[in-house]
Amino acid sequence: MTITGQSLIGAASVPGTNGAFHGIDARTGEALEPAFGGATQQDLERACALAEAAFDIYRETELEARAVFLETIGEQINAIGDALIERCMAETGLPRARIEGERGRTITQLRLFAAVLRNGDCVDARIDPAQPERKPLPRVDLRLRNIALGPVAVFGASNFPLAFSVAGGDTASALAAGCPVIVKAHGAHPGTSELVGRAIQRAVQICGLPEGVFSMLFDSGLAIGQALVADHRIKAVGFTGSRAAGVALLKIANARPEPIPVYAEMSAINPVVLLPGALAARGAAIAQPFTVSLMQGAGQFCTNPGLVLAVRGEPLHAFEQAASAAVANTSAATMLTPGIHANYCMGVERLAANPSVERLASGAAGGRFDAQAALFATTADAFLSQPELRDEVFGPASLIVRCKDLNELHDVLKALEGQLTVAVHLDASDREACRALLPTLERKAGRILANGFGTGVEVGHAMVHGGPFPATSDARTTSVGSRAIERFQRPVSYQDLPDELLPAALRAANPLGLTRRVDGVIDREVREDD
Amino acid sequence: MTITGQSLIGAASVPGTNGAFHGIDARTGEALEPAFGGATQQDLERACALAEAAFDIYRETELEARAVFLETIGEQINAIGDALIERCMAETGLPRARIEGERGRTITQLRLFAAVLRNGDCVDARIDPAQPERKPLPRVDLRLRNIALGPVAVFGASNFPLAFSVAGGDTASALAAGCPVIVKAHGAHPGTSELVGRAIQRAVQICGLPEGVFSMLFDSGLAIGQALVADHRIKAVGFTGSRAAGVALLKIANARPEPIPVYAEMSAINPVVLLPGALAARGAAIAQPFTVSLMQGAGQFCTNPGLVLAVRGEPLHAFEQAASAAVANTSAATMLTPGIHANYCMGVERLAANPSVERLASGAAGGRFDAQAALFATTADAFLSQPELRDEVFGPASLIVRCKDLNELHDVLKALEGQLTVAVHLDASDREACRALLPTLERKAGRILANGFGTGVEVGHAMVHGGPFPATSDARTTSVGSRAIERFQRPVSYQDLPDELLPAALRAANPLGLTRRVDGVIDREVREDD
């Protein structure tokens, strides 16, 4: 399959005339062919008009039809074969096994939303039947379902070029909800984006859906992405990336005549708490999986363990020694882009230059754009008094905060901003200490995990990949797992509508066979039939 | 029960020293005793500190305990007796039957959320069990529940001094979710607010809850309300009122270091569509309930029918004549405040002075602060070309838009901003015309109703009292009905936590007896036990 460098606007390929850029070989920094043409305002206008035209048709497609569409996207991504893996490796510097695994995850995610659609609970069908005899006033017939919000703009992440990009979680959940999607392709993996975008474009065609269900624009600067968020036809935004970029999109969305929700996953340092019992019993052993987690994807995971909290003393010293040895033993790994590499180096230098911070270990150096792992330590005093120590350093760096006791450790947790994850390592003797921390952990993070690390994010029904600001811009939501679909829906109530005018989900005969809530109780209909 | 004019801060009554104001007799414009002291920044600080201190305890109270608390608030409101009715009548100018009915609705609403809590589905407990044998990687144990967002600021409405005020839907749903509430009392009914606030304060004490679960501040200006929204301990805002005030609070919330959700219900003109068959068959008959709906609460309902759309011709003429006669026959009714009355008069004068607008009828004139109903008509051309004709005139005024055909009527609907409700009057012959409009109606409104008017808002499980901007600031939500609770919750995921550290909702033994979702399927546990 040839990469053309063209934007995908509905069923068409459109060469962009608004500047041009190249994908970059992450290892060498050299330009990869072909050039990608930046989309114009006219291209954006056309994509939005098509999405708007597709919306009323697409949002009312049957759940089964949408499920098949999602599965077809997965099949079409698989069908690209090795060309996708190789282009993605070149553009990101990530190894083959990782990219292959991520492709599997992306397809699994599409299948999860297909299952969510077939289950039908996401419609949240509710019926409060009429009570014509009620006094003093008869009760009307009231029925509720969720409908799709409208066309959605998706800004993929650089660090998951498949699972959080063109056909990633935001796109999959928005399409599942019944929203057309316009992707602003990430400039760090444009070839990968085009290949995946074409797979979606083919799936739209195979499934006989309106072409406006999917478009993808290349942007040679920032203007097209910003105009996309500002366009009145766009009704929600999914974003994964830096805090600065996420906040900039939030500002645009809030300044619109009609503000719209922005689901931005932005920044987290994902504290790891080593409680005293676990630390004493197996501090050195914890250092191994900690280092593995730290090095995942060259440290470029949103759930990367950037902060370790423990009470100082001999057991922490043992952990530090083991972790230092493990970190010193790591190989360098190519970062996603020269820009991310430069930022990482600056972040590490800033920590190293801080007189309150001690550098414990560095990994091996490598190629020009390779990250060298770094392990630092500081005191709770310094951490509490220097807010800049809480900033994310995106890459394989972590900071150990030595606390004088569990109370001070708790104070450090309380001082943190919102997080995607917080991990606690505990033994049976740590149960009460953990219990005391839990209310704070719940306030701070979307996911609390025991005796593990946050870098594995299961795609399932009980996953929350989210958390209070600035981990995300909307703590009420998750960008991974089946609840991600809720972000792109809104409820509509129908009062006394004739049965034939009701959406199928709410008709008396329940033609979709949905589990519905009658007077607030799930499945009462079924129980009455029993 | 004596009204003291003091703010309620936790268990205490605090005389405000930051300016003072009086409740106003809506009929006469005269000050009612006593004076209300404006809360100070110190009062605000104390209320926020108490709410913050109460949060972790209150959010983990058992569902049954919170249900009993809500019911106790209802009992305490009832126990105030006639003093509440009389003070509320004086402050609002609303008649006894209306206030008594609204008291009933307020208590019903508290009971609805008690039922929602006892049902337990609002916890959204989900379990994806571990799969230690899964290849290539074992699956972790993942469990999800909703927790409360944090302390909530509530700004009540002037037009529903009980059902949308101190103990109204926002307070009831936030308390149900497990959030402490700080109410900024509405200056238009401060005595009513104090009486109801004291009922909640007593319920907190009776139920043995932390005092910070509820506080209520009087504000002699705007500064305390604004500071409340800006306070870092406040995690969400519920508001019902004008578009200008709602947008101002949104701006404050978005400018915080940690932005928070604002649920503002603001502005709607609630179009009523009269389709040709219904209009021909019973246009004159529809005019009667239309006029009743228009006059509800002196026209001061957020769901007031401010716009009528129909195809011009003899049947519309007959409707206009009947509606004009009915409007001309209406008595004047006291408005809530002199300010609302002045705004209403200006809105009516603006319409009357518009050369494209014809005044069809006026109701009887009355007292100094009484609203005189007004019925206007214009053409679709004028309505489409003059956006100011789409502005809400809060009070008993409505504008008929005469369309040349159904296509033009559809164009008018498409040009509207978001609405709380849209009503369609139809006969069997109108089914296809209605079907053609439905996609637009769904995009524009939170509730679509047939052959009725939106002024009755059922408190139930299938109600959506919400809609796209500017009807509300968040189309994904409702401020009435059981789904209102979702606004004040966020999901948290627990990975591999020891059973004894899990919240009760997620423990293996299911001690709360919740309906849970296992691998995405509701109640599978129960089915496996069968």
Side-chain angles (χ1 to χ4, degrees):
Chain A
M1 183 175 302
T2 314
I3 298 171
T4 65
Q6 300 183 355
S7 287
L8 308 178
I9 302 181
S13 290
V14 179
T17 58
N18 185 15
F21 66 98
H22 283 261
I24 300 291
D25 186 311
R27 270 180 184 71
T28 63
E30 283 166 17
L32 295 165
E33 289 306 319
F36 289 80
T40 63
Q41 290 286 347
Q42 289 72 27
D43 296 335
L44 170 68
E45 168 59 33
R46 170 89 180 138
C48 289
L50 284 175
E52 166 67 22
F55 175 51
D56 281 334
I57 300 160
Y58 180 61
R59 70 182 169 98
E60 294 303 327
T61 48
E62 288 186 13
L63 297 172
E64 175 63 22
R66 252 181 282 156
V68 168
F69 173 46
L70 295 176
E71 290 166 338
T72 306
I73 294 172
E75 289 159 14
Q76 291 298 315
I77 291 172
N78 245 338
I80 308 168
D82 219 43
L84 178 62
I85 303 300
E86 283 173 4
R87 178 76 189 195
C88 193
M89 288 169 64
E91 288 184 331
T92 63
L94 294 168
R96 172 174 289 271
R98 153 66 195 273
I99 300 293
E100 287 180 348
E102 194 180 324
R103 178 176 61 184
R105 179 198 177 85
T106 306
I107 294 166
T108 299
Q109 190 159 252
L110 288 158
R111 287 191 189 134
L112 173 81
F113 286 109
V116 166
L117 289 171
R118 291 194 173 104
N119 170 295
D121 290 352
C122 58
V123 174
D124 194 25
R126 293 166 177 242
I127 302 175
D128 294 349
Q131 294 174 354
E133 313 300 329
R134 192 183 65 172
K135 305 288 175 198
L137 288 172
R139 190 171 87 165
V140 295
D141 180 276
L142 211 54
R143 291 159 194 254
L144 177 153
R145 68 163 178 161
N146 286 333
I147 71 168
L149 263 188
V152 170
V154 171
F155 294 74
S158 61
N159 61 339
F160 281 84
L162 299 173
F164 285 80
S165 190
V166 178
D170 285 341
T171 297
S173 53
L175 290 176
C179 300
V181 166
I182 302 178
V183 169
K184 201 290 284 173
H186 200 293
H189 52 269
T192 304
S193 296
E194 183 181 333
L195 292 171
V196 174
R198 287 187 183 275
I200 302 179
Q201 198 183 43
R202 275 193 302 279
V204 170
Q205 189 188 18
I206 290 167
C207 295
L209 296 170
E211 60 172 324
V213 165
F214 179 77
S215 291
M216 185 179 71
L217 304 171
F218 289 108
D219 189 0
S220 60
L222 300 174
I224 290 296
Q226 291 171 349
L228 183 60
V229 174
D231 190 278
H232 67 280
R233 290 158 293 202
I234 296 296
K235 300 300 183 191
V237 177
F239 167 88
T240 307
S242 73
R243 183 169 180 168
V247 167
L249 293 186
L250 267 171
K251 283 211 169 116
I252 295 169
N254 288 332
R256 291 165 48 122
E258 178 198 13
I260 55 171
V262 174
Y263 305 105
E265 188 222 295
M266 297 180 289
S267 175
I269 51 176
N270 304 296
V272 175
V273 178
L274 306 177
L275 288 174
L279 193 61
R282 52 199 166 85
I286 294 169
Q288 299 307 318
F290 162 75
T291 308
V292 170
S293 176
L294 182 69
M295 299 307 294
Q296 289 266 342
Q300 300 161 118
F301 271 41
C302 18
T303 49
N304 193 57
L307 189 70
V308 178
L309 308 180
V311 175
R312 65 189 179 214
E314 187 44 45
L316 176 57
H317 187 66
F319 169 81
E320 289 180 4
Q321 284 198 305
S324 298
V327 165
N329 204 30
T330 56
S331 309
T334 307
M335 296 200 85
L336 293 159
T337 70
I340 287 173
H341 179 258
N343 278 334
Y344 175 68
C345 293
M346 276 196 299
V348 167
E349 279 160 29
R350 207 171 50 237
L351 283 171
N354 188 316
S356 311
V357 173
E358 177 185 347
R359 189 201 287 254
L360 298 182
S362 298
R368 183 171 157 206
F369 301 117
D370 286 5
Q372 199 176 350
L375 186 63
F376 296 96
T378 190
T379 63
D381 269 353
F383 190 82
L384 288 168
S385 62
Q386 300 179 42
E388 65 273 21
L389 290 178
R390 299 169 214 165
D391 291 344
E392 183 179 12
V393 176
F394 190 68
S398 194
L399 176 62
I400 298 169
V401 178
R402 298 164 178 156
C403 305
K404 83 172 170 265
D405 54 26
L406 284 172
N407 286 335
E408 193 177 54
L409 187 153
H410 202 161
D411 289 342
V412 170
L413 281 169
K414 286 179 179 167
L416 294 176
E417 294 186 295
Q419 303 292 335
L420 291 169
T421 69
V422 55
V424 182
H425 290 258
L426 75 162
D427 271 5
S429 63
D430 297 316
R431 296 276 161 98
E432 291 318 306
C434 185
R435 199 186 299 282
L437 298 180
L438 271 170
T440 301
L441 305 186
E442 289 174 330
R443 285 170 177 236
K444 293 295 176 184
R447 178 160 55 114
I448 298 164
L449 51 125
N451 295 321
F453 296 91
T455 36
V457 182
E458 274 295 327
V459 175
H461 303 279
M463 174 51 72
V464 176
H465 189 64
F469 190 92
T472 77
S473 56
D474 192 335
R476 298 162 296 176
T477 63
T478 174
S479 64
V480 174
S482 54
R483 280 194 57 173
I485 193 172
E486 298 170 9
R487 301 177 298 164
F488 303 112
Q489 297 179 313
R490 49 176 275 259
V492 173
S493 212
Y494 303 82
Q495 181 176 317
D496 285 340
L497 243 68
D499 196 65
E500 66 191 76
L501 288 176
L502 283 170
L506 300 177
R507 279 183 211 143
N510 195 7
L512 304 186
L514 297 175
T515 303
R516 306 196 287 194
R517 211 175 271 268
V518 178
D519 275 331
V521 180
I522 282 172
D523 247 348
R524 203 178 87 178
E525 291 174 297
V526 174
R527 285 182 198 143
E528 281 177 347
D529 291 349
D530 283 351
Chain B
M1 183 174 305
T2 315
I3 298 171
T4 64
Q6 299 184 355
S7 288
L8 308 178
I9 301 180
S13 289
V14 179
T17 57
N18 184 14
F21 67 98
H22 283 261
I24 300 292
D25 186 309
R27 272 182 183 69
T28 64
E30 283 166 18
L32 295 165
E33 289 305 319
F36 289 79
T40 62
Q41 291 286 347
Q42 290 71 27
D43 296 334
L44 170 67
E45 168 59 33
R46 170 90 180 136
C48 289
L50 284 174
E52 166 69 21
F55 175 51
D56 282 334
I57 300 160
Y58 180 61
R59 70 181 169 98
E60 294 301 330
T61 47
E62 288 186 13
L63 296 172
E64 174 63 24
R66 253 182 281 157
V68 168
F69 173 46
L70 295 176
E71 289 166 340
T72 306
I73 293 172
E75 288 159 14
Q76 291 299 314
I77 290 171
N78 244 338
I80 307 168
D82 219 43
L84 178 62
I85 305 298
E86 283 172 5
R87 178 76 190 196
C88 193
M89 288 169 63
E91 288 183 331
T92 64
L94 294 168
R96 172 174 290 272
R98 153 66 195 273
I99 300 293
E100 286 180 348
E102 195 180 324
R103 178 177 60 185
R105 179 197 177 83
T106 306
I107 293 165
T108 298
Q109 191 159 252
L110 288 158
R111 287 190 190 137
L112 173 82
F113 286 108
V116 166
L117 288 171
R118 289 195 173 106
N119 170 295
D121 290 352
C122 59
V123 174
D124 194 25
R126 294 166 177 241
I127 302 176
D128 294 350
Q131 295 175 353
E133 311 301 329
R134 192 183 65 173
K135 305 289 175 196
L137 288 172
R139 191 171 85 165
V140 296
D141 179 277
L142 211 54
R143 292 162 192 252
L144 177 152
R145 67 162 178 161
N146 286 332
I147 71 168
L149 263 188
V152 169
V154 171
F155 294 74
S158 61
N159 61 340
F160 281 83
L162 299 173
F164 285 80
S165 190
V166 178
D170 285 341
T171 297
S173 53
L175 290 176
C179 300
V181 166
I182 302 178
V183 168
K184 199 290 283 175
H186 200 293
H189 52 268
T192 304
S193 295
E194 183 181 333
L195 292 172
V196 174
R198 286 188 184 276
I200 303 178
Q201 198 183 43
R202 275 194 302 279
V204 170
Q205 189 188 20
I206 290 167
C207 295
L209 296 170
E211 59 172 325
V213 165
F214 178 77
S215 290
M216 185 179 72
L217 303 172
F218 290 108
D219 189 0
S220 60
L222 299 175
I224 289 296
Q226 291 171 350
L228 182 60
V229 174
D231 191 277
H232 67 280
R233 289 158 293 201
I234 296 295
K235 299 300 183 191
V237 177
F239 168 86
T240 307
S242 73
R243 183 170 180 167
V247 167
L249 294 185
L250 268 171
K251 284 213 170 114
I252 295 169
N254 287 333
R256 291 165 48 122
E258 178 198 13
I260 56 170
V262 174
Y263 305 105
E265 190 222 295
M266 297 180 289
S267 175
I269 51 175
N270 304 296
V272 175
V273 178
L274 306 177
L275 288 174
L279 193 60
R282 53 199 165 84
I286 294 169
Q288 300 306 319
F290 163 73
T291 308
V292 170
S293 176
L294 183 69
M295 299 306 295
Q296 289 264 342
Q300 300 161 120
F301 270 40
C302 17
T303 50
N304 193 56
L307 189 69
V308 178
L309 308 181
V311 175
R312 66 189 179 214
E314 187 43 46
L316 176 57
H317 186 65
F319 169 81
E320 288 180 4
Q321 285 197 307
S324 298
V327 165
N329 203 31
T330 57
S331 309
T334 307
M335 296 200 85
L336 293 158
T337 71
I340 287 174
H341 179 258
N343 278 335
Y344 175 69
C345 293
M346 277 196 298
V348 167
E349 280 159 28
R350 206 171 51 237
L351 282 172
N354 187 316
S356 312
V357 174
E358 178 185 345
R359 188 201 286 255
L360 298 182
S362 298
R368 183 171 157 207
F369 301 117
D370 285 5
Q372 200 177 349
L375 186 64
F376 297 96
T378 191
T379 63
D381 269 353
F383 189 81
L384 288 168
S385 62
Q386 299 179 42
E388 64 272 22
L389 291 178
R390 299 168 214 166
D391 291 345
E392 183 178 12
V393 176
F394 190 68
S398 194
L399 176 63
I400 299 169
V401 178
R402 298 164 178 156
C403 305
K404 86 173 168 264
D405 54 26
L406 284 172
N407 285 335
E408 194 178 54
L409 187 153
H410 203 161
D411 288 342
V412 170
L413 281 169
K414 285 179 180 167
L416 295 176
E417 293 185 296
Q419 303 292 335
L420 291 170
T421 69
V422 54
V424 182
H425 290 259
L426 75 162
D427 272 6
S429 63
D430 297 315
R431 296 276 162 97
E432 291 317 307
C434 185
R435 199 186 300 281
L437 298 179
L438 271 169
T440 302
L441 305 186
E442 289 174 331
R443 285 171 177 235
K444 292 295 176 185
R447 178 162 54 114
I448 298 163
L449 52 125
N451 296 322
F453 295 91
T455 36
V457 182
E458 276 294 327
V459 174
H461 303 279
M463 174 51 71
V464 176
H465 190 64
F469 189 92
T472 77
S473 56
D474 191 336
R476 297 162 296 176
T477 64
T478 174
S479 64
V480 175
S482 53
R483 281 194 55 172
I485 193 172
E486 299 170 8
R487 302 177 296 164
F488 303 112
Q489 297 179 313
R490 49 175 274 257
V492 172
S493 209
Y494 303 82
Q495 180 176 318
D496 285 341
L497 243 69
D499 197 66
E500 67 191 76
L501 288 176
L502 282 170
L506 300 177
R507 278 183 211 144
N510 195 6
L512 305 186
L514 297 175
T515 303
R516 307 196 285 195
R517 213 175 269 269
V518 178
D519 275 331
V521 180
I522 282 173
D523 249 349
R524 202 178 88 177
E525 289 174 300
V526 174
R527 285 180 199 145
E528 281 178 348
D529 291 350
D530 283 351

